[in-house]
């Protein structure tokens, strides 16, 4: 941290940290470069410089601005005056929304005279809102590199081929459906990236790109590729994964320089033998050897299959129907005619929120919430949905249903479940006529019937000994009745009540779709509690309890009903429905005991774990685990994590909120969306992963000592359906705390040498990357490069070979300062690769792969100068060696 602050202080001394125009201009205008995208008011600074020092500004060759800047439109008018401009970056993605997602810039067009920038060779307009490519770009005579990633382009201009000097073009993450034929006129093009678009067909002219070395067409909707691709003799890498390919030309095998052919996740049922035997071909995720789908499955041709690798966003459904498979395992089947016109379907996966997902008693959440839009659109035929879910722990007592939200209330759909043989994954299947929100839950097994005026009989499928008899005349109008049963073992009753004398029957819940009581009493049959028969029955100990709908009050109604007994059953009559429970005990206040038992039946016993990654102790894993899963979870994590023993057992309701707070010198990023008042928020669902992995830090100086902190868990909001007494107990001040586990951050090891050489007045290790032949990069060179990296630092770091965990940690440790993130990334990489003689070329390659040709050019210019100096020194030495050799030869003669 101190090293980083010193580096930044050095930059501030050079003028970058000051607000005065002259000092700012002197530092920013160095080497004819302006990097203003790292400033939130970069456009204002540019306009100020343009006004006060226009003579110097019009000479700049490299310019970076953020298109998230509110003054961008005003600034665009000044750009055509920069006649010497070689590289221009107008990217969005420098701001984030409330969910942490990068925001696209406001750029939708460019001024007409922008095409007069005759020296411009590099143009980056990524992360903007371009729906069409500005025509002025086609008039840039020197343009070699063009990036328009993450825009909304649907097509390219017909005369796109006028960019005859283009060597690199990237338009990934757009909405391109077709390509112009003129794309084949880009004879100098070497890299073409059109991934993650909506291309369905390629023009034959693509085969004219004879200098193309890398072609990325992944993530489109291509059914086939033209044979002309076999003409791309310079092609090294061809990416075709995640399309709809049903065939590939065998002629691809003849490409002489091809080193990678990616055909993964397509619809290929057969691949030419010439291709399949190549060592660099990747074919996973294809239905190789499978037969064609039958017409009965609703598919007339594979043209109706939508990309099987879609993981988020949207897809289009036509009147022909289609199948859609999302990467999360959700399947859809739209039969022909389900949609009369092409319809754009949007989907997203949401974490269940107890304030919105209202669970009923004994419900268990088994999946995330799936939202499908547009809401309420009526389909002409039923659409089938298959949703994967986690298998419940008590399948004989519960059944799995898909629950849907209408905008006001949740209702259960008719559901069929299936367990896949190979993967052993469970899938819930339902049919719908409209889209909204969907969730898989486990509920108590529900038996239902329609009660007519003639009466009927309803049995429980969980316990056939439980039945309800509706006599003739019980109702005038038919009404629907539902029955649910919760078995309760004698061991559970004894454990909760701490009394061997208490026994109870299964819990019975009855409901109906009418608010009117029945006209005649309904007869209910319940089995006697375990160990009790009609022969040894003591009637004074038997109680019939009636519970309200929420199970908060239990009244003894034994004296209010007529009880009849057989050898195994108790029979009584009622006129309205709710919870009914048969108890056998000597205790007097049985209602209070039943309430306590009922509450405990809804609780889960859990333990908290807090583990630190062995290779990176600042990375902490927190999880709330049901008691029976603790040992398997710890065994799975023990190779990568270490930490204290799990916490003592605590009890939680399904859907209950809890918080994790780091204490005693340890803290987390307060800007996280799941962070409330400095505490990390969780929602406990017994069958979902209640786990989060985060980075922690400490304000304590760890250079001289370790930090012994802790993480404590506290209760939060409880679900609405929790009994009032239980909710009140959880809100009392002394009941919020749940558990505390220790967290230790070790003492920091010095990152640099013990005796570093001085650099600009502060300690820094000697740094010379590369070798004498290729030229060296010094600390000063890296500092110059760092000034230009900007928001691209993460992708550059990944392309340099840093791991995702390293990138995340660098971002977190320096989360309030982009400059520190950039410097930490660059110098971390430099330190790891200081002994690698090829590290400079790797740096250049990484910059090109990250779309930063401007920085790659700068590095190449630096090492070219180094090469020249080395050649001159060799030449001088070589002359001296030649002379001495001649002298030796003469002497020998």
């Amino acid at each position: 941290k101190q090293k980083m602050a010193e580096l930044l202080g050095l930059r501030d001394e050079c003028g970058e940290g000051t607000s005065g125009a002259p000092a700012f201009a002197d530092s920013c205008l160095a080497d004819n470069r302006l990097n203003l995208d790292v400033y939130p008011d970069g456009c204002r600074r540019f306009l100020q410089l343009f006004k006060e020092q226009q003579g110097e500004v019009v000479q700049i060759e490299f310019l970076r601005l953020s298109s998230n800047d509110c003054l961008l439109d005003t600034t665009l008018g000044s750009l055509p005056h920069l006649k010497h401009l070689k590289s221009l970056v107008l990217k969005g993605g420098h701001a984030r929304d409330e969910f942490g997602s990068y925001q696209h810039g406001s750029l939708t067009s460019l001024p007409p005279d922008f095409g007069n920038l005759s020296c411009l060779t590099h143009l980056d307009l990524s992360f903007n809102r371009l729906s069409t490519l500005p025509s002025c770009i086609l008039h840039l005579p020197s343009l070699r590199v063009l990036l328009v990633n993450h825009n909304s382009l649907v097509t390219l201009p017909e005369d796109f081929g006028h960019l005859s000097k283009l060597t690199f073009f990237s338009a990934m993450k757009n909405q391109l459906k077709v390509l112009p034929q003129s794309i084949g006129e880009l004879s100098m093009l070497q890299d073409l990236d059109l991934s993650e678009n909506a291309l369905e067909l390629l023009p034959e002219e693509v085969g004219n790109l004879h200098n193309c070395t890398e072609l990325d067409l992944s993530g489109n909707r291509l059914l086939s590729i033209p044979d002309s691709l076999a003409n791309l003799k310079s092609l090294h890498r061809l990416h075709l994964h995640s399309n709809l390919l049903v065939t590939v030309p065998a002629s691809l095998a003849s490409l002489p320089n091809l080193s990678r052919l990616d055909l993964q996740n397509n619809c290929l049922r057969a691949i030419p033998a010439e291709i399949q035997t190549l060592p660099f071909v990747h074919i996973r995720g294809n239905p190789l050897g499978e037969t064609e789908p039958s017409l009965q499955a609703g598919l007339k041709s594979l043209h109706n299959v939508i990309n099987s690798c879609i993981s988020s966003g949207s897809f289009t459904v036509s009147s022909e129907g289609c199948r859609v498979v999302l990467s999360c395992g959700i399947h859809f089947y739209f039969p022909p005619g389900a949609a009369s016109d092409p319809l754009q379907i949007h989907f997203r996966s949401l974490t269940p929120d107890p304030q919105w997902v209202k669970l009923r008693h004994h419900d268990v959440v088994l999946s995330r919430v799936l939202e499908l839009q547009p809401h309420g659109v009526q389909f002409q035929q039923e659409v089938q949905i298959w949703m994967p879910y986690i298998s419940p722990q008590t399948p004989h007592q519960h059944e799995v249903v898909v629950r849907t939200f209408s905008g006001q209330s949740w209702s259960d759909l008719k559901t069929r479940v299936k367990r896949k043989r190979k993967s052993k994954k469970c899938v819930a299947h339902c049919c719908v006529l409209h889209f909204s929100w969907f969730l898989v839950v486990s509920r108590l097994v529900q038996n239902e019937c329609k009660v007519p005026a003639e009466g009927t009989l309803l049995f429980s499928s969980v316990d056939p000994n439980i039945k309800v008899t509706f006599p003739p005349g019980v109702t005038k109008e038919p009404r629907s009745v539902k029955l649910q049963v919760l078995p309760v073992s004698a061991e559970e009753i004894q454990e909760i009540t701490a009394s061997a004398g208490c026994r109870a029957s299964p819990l019975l819940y009855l409901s109906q779709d009418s608010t009117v009581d029945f006209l005649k009493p309904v007869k209910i049959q319940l089995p006697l509690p375990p160990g009790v028969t009609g022969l040894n029955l003591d009637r004074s100990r038997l109680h019939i309890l009636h519970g309200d709908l929420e199970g908060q009050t239990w009244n003894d109604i034994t004296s209010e009903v007529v009880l009849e007994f057989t050898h195994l059953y108790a029979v009584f009559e009622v006129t309205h429905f709710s919870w009914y429970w048969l108890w056998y005990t000597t205790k007097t206040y049985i209602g209070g005991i039943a309430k306590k038992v009922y509450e405990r039946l809804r609780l889960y016993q859990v333990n908290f774990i807090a583990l630190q990654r062995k290779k990176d102790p600042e990375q902490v894993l927190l999880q709330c685990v049901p008691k029976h899963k603790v040992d398997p979870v710890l065994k799975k994590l023990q190779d990568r994590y270490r930490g204290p023993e799990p916490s003592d057992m605590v009890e939680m309701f399904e859907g209950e909120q809890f918080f994790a707070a780091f204490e005693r010198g340890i803290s987390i990023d307060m800007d996280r969306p799941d962070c409330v008042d400095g505490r990390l928020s969780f929602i406990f669902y017994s069958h979902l992963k209640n786990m989060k992995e985060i980075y922690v830090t400490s304000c304590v100086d760890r250079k001289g000592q370790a930090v012994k902190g802790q993480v404590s868990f506290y209760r939060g909001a409880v679900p609405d359906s929790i009994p009032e007494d239980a909710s009140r107990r959880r809100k009392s001040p002394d009941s919020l705390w749940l558990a505390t586990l220790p967290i230790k951050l070790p003492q920091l090891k010095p990152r640099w040498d013990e005796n570093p050489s001085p650099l600009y007045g502060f300690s820094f290790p000697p740094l010379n990357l590369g070798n004498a032949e290729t030229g060296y990069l010094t600390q000063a060179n890296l500092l110059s490069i760092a000034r230009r990296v900007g928001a691209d630092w993460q992708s550059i770091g990944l392309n340099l070979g840093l791991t995702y965990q390293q990138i995340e940690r660098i971002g977190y440790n320096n989360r309030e300062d982009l400059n520190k993130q950039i410097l930490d990334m660059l110098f971390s990489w430099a330190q790891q690769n200081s002994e690698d003689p090829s590290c400079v070329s790797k740096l250049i390659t990484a910059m090109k792969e990250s779309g930063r040709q401007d920085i790659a050019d700068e590095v190449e210019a630096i090492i070219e100068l180094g090469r020249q100096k080395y050649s001159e020194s060799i030449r001088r030495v070589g002359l001296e060696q030649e002379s001495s050799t001649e002298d030796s030869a003469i002497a020998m003669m």
Side-chain angles (χ1 to χ4, degrees):
K1 300 293 182 186
Q2 182 179 356
K3 176 205 66 164
M4 202 65 63
E6 290 169 338
L7 284 172
L8 292 170
L10 173 65
R11 295 175 64 174
D12 288 343
E13 290 172 9
C14 294
E16 288 195 29
T18 63
S19 58
F24 171 76
D26 291 342
S27 62
C28 287
L29 287 173
D31 300 325
N32 291 328
R33 304 174 188 274
L34 264 180
N35 301 306
L36 300 177
D37 54 344
V38 295
Y39 300 100
D41 59 344
C43 286
R44 181 190 64 79
R45 292 174 182 245
F46 175 84
L47 293 172
Q48 180 183 354
L49 286 172
F50 190 80
K51 178 181 178 181
E52 298 176 358
Q53 295 180 259
Q54 183 172 345
E56 290 86 348
V57 172
V58 296
Q59 299 296 322
I60 64 172
E61 299 178 355
F62 301 88
L63 175 62
R64 294 179 63 90
L65 292 170
S66 167
S67 57
N68 295 110
D69 198 305
C70 59
L71 293 177
L72 178 67
D73 289 342
T74 307
T75 306
L76 290 176
S78 304
L79 297 184
H81 297 283
L82 310 180
K83 301 298 184 181
H84 300 278
L85 196 63
K86 293 181 179 179
S87 174
L88 175 61
V89 178
L90 297 174
K91 288 179 62 174
H94 295 272
R96 300 197 184 201
D97 59 19
E98 63 270 24
F99 302 106
S101 301
Y102 289 108
Q103 290 185 322
H104 284 235
S106 59
L107 186 69
T108 58
S109 63
L110 293 172
D113 50 351
F114 186 86
N116 297 331
L117 296 175
S118 58
C119 296
L120 193 66
T121 61
H122 173 266
L123 178 61
D124 189 348
L125 304 177
S126 301
F127 271 104
N128 280 293
R129 304 181 188 276
L130 296 173
S131 57
T132 59
L133 194 69
S135 59
C136 57
I137 292 179
L138 304 178
H139 301 290
L140 296 171
S142 304
L143 193 63
R144 293 171 48 205
V145 177
L146 176 59
L147 299 98
V148 287
N149 304 320
H150 295 270
N151 277 278
S152 303
L153 299 175
V154 177
T155 185
L156 297 175
E158 286 299 326
D159 50 353
F160 187 69
H162 286 181
L163 296 172
S164 57
K165 293 187 177 180
L166 205 62
T167 61
F168 183 98
F169 177 56
S170 180
M172 68 174 293
K173 280 277 186 181
N174 279 272
Q175 300 168 24
L176 295 172
K177 295 182 178 180
V178 293
L179 295 177
Q181 294 179 347
S182 65
I183 196 168
E185 300 172 13
L186 303 175
S187 58
M188 298 181 65
L189 193 65
Q190 298 176 9
D191 290 88
L192 177 58
D193 187 352
L194 299 171
S195 60
E196 299 188 61
N197 279 277
L199 295 172
E200 299 178 357
L201 194 66
L202 293 178
E204 288 285 341
E205 287 75 11
V206 172
N208 297 333
L209 303 175
H210 299 297
N211 285 310
C212 188
T213 61
E214 181 156 5
L215 177 57
D216 194 341
L217 298 167
S218 59
N220 281 279
R221 298 179 181 176
L222 296 171
L223 295 161
S224 62
I225 55 175
D227 292 336
S228 62
L229 287 188
N231 299 329
L232 304 180
K233 303 302 183 183
S234 301
L235 196 62
H236 287 215
R237 292 172 294 277
L238 177 57
H239 306 277
L240 293 168
H241 68 81
S242 308
N243 276 279
L244 305 175
L245 295 175
V246 296
T247 180
V248 289
S251 55
L252 292 180
S254 65
L255 291 173
N257 294 303
L258 196 62
S259 60
R260 180 178 180 87
L261 175 58
D262 195 341
L263 299 173
Q264 298 180 89
N265 299 317
N266 277 280
C267 300
L268 296 168
R269 301 180 185 280
I271 295 178
E274 301 94 319
I275 292 179
Q276 197 162 357
T277 56
L278 296 174
F280 50 78
V281 175
H282 303 266
I283 57 176
R284 291 181 59 185
N286 283 282
L288 295 175
E290 296 184 12
T291 57
E292 295 284 335
S294 65
L295 291 176
Q296 295 177 350
L299 300 175
K300 295 183 178 179
S301 71
L302 286 171
H303 291 263
N304 296 330
V305 182
I306 289 183
N307 194 339
S308 62
C309 285
I310 295 176
S311 59
S312 64
S314 64
F315 55 87
T316 302
V317 177
S318 68
S319 59
E320 296 179 359
C322 62
R323 280 190 185 275
V324 179
V325 182
L326 307 186
S327 62
C328 58
I330 297 174
H331 293 225
F332 303 93
Y333 171 54
F334 297 83
S340 55
D341 298 313
L343 180 64
Q344 189 83 0
I345 303 295
H346 298 268
F347 63 89
R348 61 174 177 161
S349 178
L350 305 169
T351 302
D353 185 342
Q355 300 301 319
W356 169 48
V357 178
K358 304 298 183 182
L359 297 178
R360 302 162 195 166
H361 291 210
H362 311 286
D363 281 351
V364 178
V365 174
L366 302 180
S367 77
R368 291 170 62 87
V369 177
L370 170 67
E371 182 184 11
L372 297 172
Q373 293 181 330
H375 299 156
V377 170
Q378 193 78 10
F379 292 102
Q380 305 302 314
Q381 296 188 49
E382 286 188 331
V383 176
Q384 299 183 51
I385 305 176
W386 289 265
M387 294 182 65
Y389 66 89
I390 301 171
S391 179
Q393 298 297 322
T394 53
H396 62 287
Q397 300 177 6
H398 287 70
E399 61 185 354
V400 174
V401 295
V402 177
R403 189 164 289 172
T404 183
F405 186 64
S406 65
Q408 296 181 343
S409 61
W410 292 87
S411 58
D412 294 344
L413 298 172
K414 186 177 180 181
T415 307
R416 290 187 299 141
V417 296
K418 179 181 179 182
R419 188 180 184 91
K420 295 183 178 180
R421 292 182 180 179
K422 292 184 179 181
S423 63
K424 296 184 180 180
K425 292 182 179 179
C426 300
V427 180
H429 171 256
C430 64
C431 299
V432 296
L433 284 170
H434 66 275
F435 279 169
S436 58
W437 294 266
F438 301 91
L439 171 73
V440 182
V441 299
S442 171
R443 70 181 185 191
L444 293 178
V445 174
Q446 184 170 283
N447 302 107
E448 56 184 307
C449 69
K450 205 76 171 178
V451 180
E454 301 81 36
T456 189
L457 188 64
L458 179 60
F459 284 90
S460 166
S461 59
V462 175
D463 188 343
N465 296 316
I466 298 175
K467 67 178 181 179
V468 183
T469 305
F470 299 89
V474 72
T475 181
K476 288 183 178 180
E477 300 293 334
R479 62 178 78 181
S480 179
V481 173
K482 298 176 182 178
L483 176 153
Q484 292 175 296
V485 171
L486 176 63
V488 185
S489 67
E491 291 76 12
E492 287 179 297
I493 296 292
Q494 182 174 342
E495 180 183 354
I496 297 173
T497 62
S499 172
C502 288
R503 304 170 193 175
S505 71
L507 254 167
L508 171 65
Y509 179 66
L510 294 169
S511 60
Q512 58 169 321
D513 61 355
S514 174
T515 58
V516 180
D517 286 347
F518 289 100
L519 301 178
K520 290 184 178 181
V522 176
K523 186 178 293 186
I524 298 176
Q525 174 183 294
L526 286 176
L528 292 171
V532 180
T533 67
L535 298 177
N536 63 7
L537 175 67
D538 181 353
R539 290 192 173 218
S540 65
R541 299 174 61 183
L542 194 69
H543 304 268
I544 292 290
L545 301 182
H546 167 262
D548 63 5
L549 293 177
E550 296 300 322
Q552 295 197 25
T553 58
W554 292 86
N555 298 317
D556 191 341
I557 61 171
T558 310
S559 60
E560 302 174 17
V561 299
V562 177
L563 266 173
E564 298 177 359
F565 300 97
T566 67
H567 183 62
L568 298 174
Y569 308 113
V571 181
F572 57 98
E573 294 181 337
V574 297
T575 57
H576 60 279
F577 283 171
S578 185
W579 290 95
Y580 292 98
W581 210 352
L582 192 61
W583 275 72
Y584 193 75
T585 180
T586 57
K587 298 187 179 293
T588 53
Y589 183 53
I590 188 61
I593 298 175
K595 180 179 180 179
K596 175 185 176 182
V597 172
Y598 183 77
E599 178 184 321
R600 284 285 300 274
L601 289 174
R602 297 181 59 194
L603 285 166
Y604 291 87
Q605 295 181 335
V606 301
N607 300 87
F608 296 102
I609 61 175
L611 303 175
Q612 294 171 264
R613 191 176 284 271
K614 291 179 179 179
K615 294 184 178 180
D616 189 357
E618 280 117 355
Q619 191 172 352
V620 180
L621 182 146
L622 303 177
Q623 190 170 3
C624 176
V625 187
K627 183 175 68 173
H628 68 279
K629 294 183 180 179
V630 171
D631 289 339
V633 168
L634 291 178
K635 186 176 181 180
K636 186 177 180 181
L637 297 173
Q638 65 183 2
D639 292 337
R640 292 173 294 145
Y641 297 85
R642 65 164 62 97
E645 291 295 315
S647 71
D648 292 338
M649 187 270 295
V650 298
E651 294 179 329
M652 302 195 76
F653 287 104
E654 183 85 358
E656 183 171 355
Q657 185 184 38
F658 65 95
F659 295 97
F662 289 91
E663 301 162 340
R664 298 180 62 182
I666 297 179
S667 60
I668 59 173
D669 184 1
M670 302 303 178
D671 296 329
R672 292 174 57 110
D674 56 354
C675 196
V676 181
D677 296 330
R679 297 179 174 186
L680 204 61
S681 175
F682 291 78
I683 303 296
F684 171 74
Y685 290 109
S686 58
H687 285 61
L688 302 185
K689 279 189 177 181
N690 308 287
M691 180 183 73
K692 294 185 180 181
E693 196 163 6
I694 56 173
Y695 279 98
V696 298
T697 186
S698 176
C699 58
V700 179
D701 184 3
R702 293 167 52 198
K703 292 181 179 179
Q705 62 179 349
V707 178
K708 296 180 179 179
Q710 64 186 29
V711 57
S712 295
F713 298 89
Y714 299 88
R715 293 194 188 277
V718 295
D720 294 340
S721 58
I722 299 306
E724 185 178 343
D725 289 348
S727 180
R728 191 184 308 116
R729 289 196 300 273
R730 279 163 157 70
K731 293 177 181 177
S732 59
D734 58 345
S735 299
L736 294 178
W737 174 84
L738 291 168
T740 296
L741 294 171
I743 296 290
K744 181 180 178 180
L745 295 181
Q747 179 179 344
L748 286 178
K749 297 179 180 179
R751 296 182 56 185
W752 307 101
D753 292 347
E754 293 290 335
N755 300 306
S757 60
L759 176 68
Y760 298 106
F762 61 89
S763 297
F764 198 80
L767 180 64
N768 282 303
L769 299 179
N771 55 56
E773 289 185 78
T774 62
Y776 288 108
L777 285 181
T778 65
Q779 299 96 328
N781 298 142
L782 281 186
L783 284 171
S784 176
I785 293 169
R787 291 182 183 135
R788 303 181 51 197
V789 170
D792 293 330
W793 73 270
Q794 291 174 311
S795 60
I796 291 173
L798 291 172
N799 286 325
L800 282 171
L802 298 180
T803 66
Y804 179 80
Q805 287 78 12
Q806 286 177 294
I807 295 294
E808 188 179 10
R809 185 170 142 199
I810 289 171
Y812 180 78
N813 289 342
N814 308 286
R815 56 190 177 276
E816 296 179 358
D817 195 319
L818 177 64
N819 295 325
K820 289 183 179 180
Q821 294 171 342
I822 296 168
L823 286 168
D824 200 354
M825 179 273 293
L826 271 180
F827 282 94
S828 295
W829 168 81
Q831 185 184 19
Q832 294 175 17
N833 295 271
S834 58
E835 303 299 325
D836 184 359
S838 64
C839 62
V840 175
S841 61
K842 291 179 179 178
L843 177 62
I844 295 172
T845 301
M847 292 300 175
K848 292 180 178 179
E849 291 176 346
S850 305
R852 296 305 304 272
Q853 185 68 39
D854 55 330
I855 300 180
D857 292 342
E858 178 179 345
V859 177
E860 287 178 337
I862 293 172
I863 63 173
E864 180 61 28
L865 180 61
R867 288 195 191 101
Q868 292 176 3
K869 292 181 178 180
Y870 179 75
S871 299
E872 292 173 1
S873 64
I874 289 296
R875 192 178 302 114
R876 289 194 299 270
V877 173
L879 288 173
E880 294 171 358
Q881 289 177 342
E882 184 179 353
S883 300
S884 62
T885 303
E886 291 177 355
D887 293 341
S888 300
I890 294 172
M892 289 177 66
M893 292 176 66

